[in-house]
Amino acid sequence: MALLDVRKLTKSYGETQALSDVSFQISKGEFVSVIGPSGSGKTTLIRCVNRLIEPSAGEIVFDGKEMTALRGPELRRERARIGMIFQHYNLVYRLTVIENVLHGRLGYKGAIKGVFSMYDEQEKRHALEILELLGLGELVYRRCDMLSGGQKQRVGIARALVQNPRIILCDEPISSLDPSSARIIMDYLLKIRTEMGITMVVNLHQIDVARKYSSRILGFNKGTLVFDGPSDQLSQQKIYEIYGAEAGELIND
Amino acid sequence: MSTVDYNRWTGKIAIRRLTTSQAWLYSVLVVLSSATVYGFLVLDTKGVGLIDAATRTIEYFGLMFGSPRGVPSHFGVFNDSTAALFLASFNLVLQTLSLAFLSTLLGGVIALVLGLFGAKNLTGPRTSNAIKGLMALIRAVPTVLWVLIFAIGAGLGAVAAVIGMSFHTIGYLLKAYSESFEEIDEGVIEALRASGASWLHIVSQAVLPSSITQILSWTFLRFEINFAVAVAMGAAAGAGGIGYNMFISAGYFFDIREIGFITYQILVIAILLEVVATRLKKRYRLAS
Ligand SMILES: Nc1ncnc2c1ncn2[C@@H]1O[C@H](COP(=O)(O)OP(=O)(O)O)[C@@H](O)[C@H]1O
Ligand SMILES: [Mg+2]
């Protein structure tokens, strides 16, 4: 059974069709890149999965649960099993690295324990292990506004990992980074998928990166899924279909 | 082709035209200026001439600030010890500071809780607008009026003063707090929401840590205002503290040198508060 089953997903903003009739399935352990020009619906797609955006129509079945039907505490519990990584990291910069990482546990916490940062020893140990794994062991008590972009994104990854997620959704995780930091981040994402078996869905701007890291690519154009297949089957022809006039520039890179 | 009616332009030709609102503005200005002039003309000077009045004013200011001194018995001190006098009047200044502190604390706590609901990004636009509108109304009524309104129930005194001052403080701080909350990066709130955090978690773990310095600065600015108001309330609403003594010295003993004595003490505190407030404002670029 598929881990994520998206059926006839549609999202419209008034006249704009951000997503039209999108269907695909993702199995456990896949590394899927979502590509497409700006405004093609990549962000909308992954935000519909954890219901940061309400879909207009269609179904999203995650791990056997119909996401679109969930409310309140039930929705919180499912969200806790879905990690998310952002282009702009979205950390609380006044807080330390470890405090930000432990925010990933809030989805499992009651009101009092969460409000007063009452984390178990086991949770804190887990957070430290993950930070060591991501090469942030020396920066545990550093305030996040003192970190470089690549370090901030690694904190973002750690925050997603302490959730013990079944899937991690990444919205352009390397678009704000320099090439070498970007490579480090992509390598970590790949490592997480191969060593921890966590399914990855990554929105990307760069076709070469998508080809290099992912097992499968979804290509969007104007809210429609125009390519769904293994990375090595993404032909020039398909790239033209996905990117239209922009394709020329992308291939020259 | 239509014929031109040159007869439309008769009499003197004006090159400006008054709009209705300008006409109103000018009429009001004319009325007010005439009233002012008339007021001076019929002012009851009790036979004191202008020169005489001016020299005496200067003389009194000289007395007030040149040779200030307090009468010990006015402060409940019945020996000649200067230390005892200063201690007694400092105690009164402390009372005034306490009034200000209590109103700021009460108002601040309530404003903090309500301010969360007043921030658009933490509730919806509807709740936010409702709360902000209500607070604008509260702010529109001056603090003194709130004190007098609460004096109906509580009687003139410290209780009415504290409630009234707290009330206006809520209106002031809620606006400041909720605007600080609204400045927070939407992405941070979204990141926590995406990981399953609840509203209370988001407020305590992201919103408050991100805005705590701004909140403290705004609260201090309001404390400074409340100190000045508390002095006035001592006089106007019988709230006690140094303001009340000033009122008695001025209205009952006509003791100009004692007013100077009290004014200097208030001035020292006010300047201290102002210095800190200005630094905070600069540091966090708060617009008041
Ligand atoms: N909140 C919104 N209101 C109106 N239109 C939106 C909103 N969010 C996204 N859109 C539109 O939906 C389309 C898809 O946007 P998005 O998912 O952000 O694309 P991408 O992430 O691929 O750049 C775009 O045309 C965008 O303008
Ligand atoms: Mg996007």
Side-chain angles (χ1 to χ4, degrees):
Chain A
M1 196 185 67
L3 179 65
L4 180 65
D5 187 356
V6 173
R7 299 177 198 148
K8 295 185 176 302
L9 179 63
T10 297
K11 173 69 189 177
S12 42
Y13 293 104
E15 294 290 284
T16 319
Q17 285 276 99
L19 290 173
S20 350
D21 213 11
V22 174
S23 301
F24 59 86
Q25 296 190 334
I26 293 178
S27 310
K28 186 174 168 354
E30 279 193 273
F31 194 120
V32 180
S33 289
V34 180
I35 61 170
S38 208
S40 57
K42 305 184 292 295
T43 299
T44 307
L45 172 72
I46 66 165
R47 276 166 193 244
C48 280
V49 172
N50 59 9
R51 292 268 306 284
L52 287 179
I53 292 178
E54 288 300 323
S56 305
E59 288 159 43
I60 297 162
V61 182
F62 170 68
D63 204 13
K65 281 238 171 60
E66 170 60 57
M67 290 298 289
T68 45
L70 297 180
R71 296 268 166 277
E74 266 188 322
L75 177 59
R76 281 187 54 203
R77 209 171 310 134
E78 281 318 301
R79 278 179 174 166
R81 305 287 280 167
I82 302 174
M84 196 165 199
I85 291 165
F86 304 84
Q87 178 183 352
H88 300 292
Y89 329 121
N90 297 356
L91 308 173
V92 182
Y93 291 118
R94 288 252 169 77
L95 298 182
T96 59
V97 167
I98 183 85
E99 283 173 302
N100 270 286
V101 173
L102 284 167
H103 282 168
R105 295 304 298 172
L106 290 173
Y108 297 100
K109 294 256 165 227
I112 303 284
K113 285 195 167 178
V115 166
F116 296 104
S117 310
M118 290 152 71
Y119 303 103
D120 307 337
E121 283 312 301
Q122 190 199 333
E123 288 175 308
K124 289 185 255 181
R125 175 138 318 155
H126 186 208
L128 288 178
E129 281 166 11
I130 289 170
L131 284 171
E132 290 286 355
L133 196 79
L134 293 170
L136 293 171
E138 304 298 314
L139 302 173
V140 171
Y141 299 109
R142 184 75 60 90
R143 255 173 64 149
C144 284
D145 49 7
M146 310 293 280
L147 302 177
S148 73
Q151 290 168 335
K152 283 174 184 162
Q153 192 58 293
R154 277 186 273 161
V155 175
I157 294 173
R159 178 175 63 186
L161 282 178
V162 293
Q163 290 178 235
N164 282 327
R166 306 222 47 194
I167 193 169
I168 295 183
L169 310 169
C170 311
D171 196 2
E172 306 208 10
I174 56 170
S175 294
S176 305
L177 299 176
D178 60 90
S180 84
S181 307
R183 220 195 57 231
I184 293 171
I185 293 297
M186 286 311 296
D187 287 343
Y188 274 123
L189 293 183
L190 189 61
K191 195 169 157 186
I192 288 164
R193 123 83 202 266
T194 45
E195 291 181 12
M196 303 182 186
I198 298 173
T199 311
M200 286 280 165
V201 179
V202 187
N203 284 357
L204 283 172
H205 230 77
Q206 305 84 340
I207 299 179
D208 51 333
V209 178
R211 273 203 176 119
K212 180 171 167 204
Y213 286 91
S214 49
S215 53
R216 178 176 161 202
I217 290 178
L218 301 181
F220 281 84
N221 181 288
K222 297 201 182 89
T224 313
L225 183 59
V226 294
F227 177 79
D228 178 358
S231 313
D232 48 20
Q233 281 176 25
L234 182 68
S235 60
Q236 297 295 343
Q237 168 64 31
K238 278 292 170 191
I239 292 176
Y240 273 108
E241 243 176 81
I242 296 168
Y243 285 91
E246 269 182 61
E249 300 166 32
L250 286 160
I251 291 158
N252 287 341
D253 283 349
Chain B
M1 203 177 118
S2 62
T3 50
V4 180
D5 176 15
Y6 290 103
N7 290 330
R8 279 198 298 151
W9 309 106
T10 52
K12 202 158 173 278
I13 296 165
I15 57 167
R16 284 173 83 185
R17 261 182 161 178
L18 283 183
T19 64
T20 326
S21 63
Q22 277 172 329
W24 271 106
L25 184 67
Y26 287 129
S27 337
V28 169
L29 276 179
V30 167
V31 170
L32 288 182
S33 327
S34 338
T36 309
V37 172
Y38 178 77
F40 273 117
L41 288 179
V42 299
L43 192 66
D44 180 6
T45 57
K46 307 259 191 225
V48 182
L50 184 63
I51 310 272
D52 190 20
T55 43
R56 272 207 248 168
T57 304
I58 292 168
E59 184 192 329
Y60 288 154
F61 265 109
L63 266 180
M64 201 193 278
F65 294 112
S67 55
R69 66 100 186 79
V71 178
S73 65
H74 294 172
F75 295 90
V77 174
F78 297 100
N79 54 44
D80 284 340
S81 151
T82 319
L85 173 65
F86 270 95
L87 212 65
S89 65
F90 182 62
N91 185 24
L92 289 169
V93 173
L94 275 188
Q95 276 182 31
T96 302
L97 272 172
S98 310
L99 287 175
F101 182 77
L102 199 58
S103 335
T104 314
L105 186 71
L106 279 175
V109 168
I110 297 172
L112 191 65
V113 175
L114 285 180
L116 294 170
F117 297 96
K120 273 199 180 65
N121 51 350
L122 298 179
T123 51
R126 211 177 290 170
T127 320
S128 161
N129 285 337
I131 289 182
K132 280 182 179 161
L134 191 68
M135 291 305 135
L137 267 176
I138 290 181
R139 279 197 309 278
V141 177
T143 313
V144 184
L145 262 182
W146 282 121
V147 172
L148 294 179
I149 289 168
F150 284 110
I152 296 168
L156 275 178
V159 174
V162 167
I163 299 177
M165 284 161 67
S166 307
F167 218 67
H168 198 270
T169 303
I170 296 173
Y172 177 94
L173 285 182
L174 189 138
K175 179 170 188 274
Y177 291 168
S178 53
E179 279 171 6
S180 310
F181 297 152
E182 282 169 0
E183 277 174 26
I184 290 169
D185 180 13
E186 190 60 35
V188 177
I189 295 174
E190 205 156 56
L192 293 202
R193 212 151 57 85
S195 70
S198 67
W199 187 84
L200 271 179
H201 292 157
I202 294 172
V203 165
S204 58
Q205 295 288 340
V207 176
L208 292 180
S210 303
S211 50
I212 189 74
T213 46
Q214 293 222 348
I215 286 173
L216 289 178
S217 317
W218 277 117
T219 311
F220 190 85
L221 292 194
R222 182 63 203 196
F223 177 61
E224 189 212 348
I225 297 175
N226 278 352
F227 175 69
V229 176
V231 173
M233 287 308 110
I242 197 74
Y244 182 70
N245 278 59
M246 198 174 196
F247 171 63
I248 295 296
S249 307
Y252 194 72
F253 296 122
F254 301 111
D255 190 337
I256 283 175
R257 294 176 63 193
E258 188 164 88
I259 294 174
F261 174 71
I262 294 172
T263 306
Y264 271 119
Q265 297 178 41
I266 296 173
L267 216 58
V268 169
I269 301 289
I271 288 174
L272 279 178
L273 295 181
E274 178 69 29
V275 168
V276 178
T278 311
R279 286 201 182 164
L280 287 174
K281 252 193 218 174
K282 253 197 208 138
R283 179 146 173 214
Y284 298 111
R285 286 182 226 95
L286 303 178
S288 43

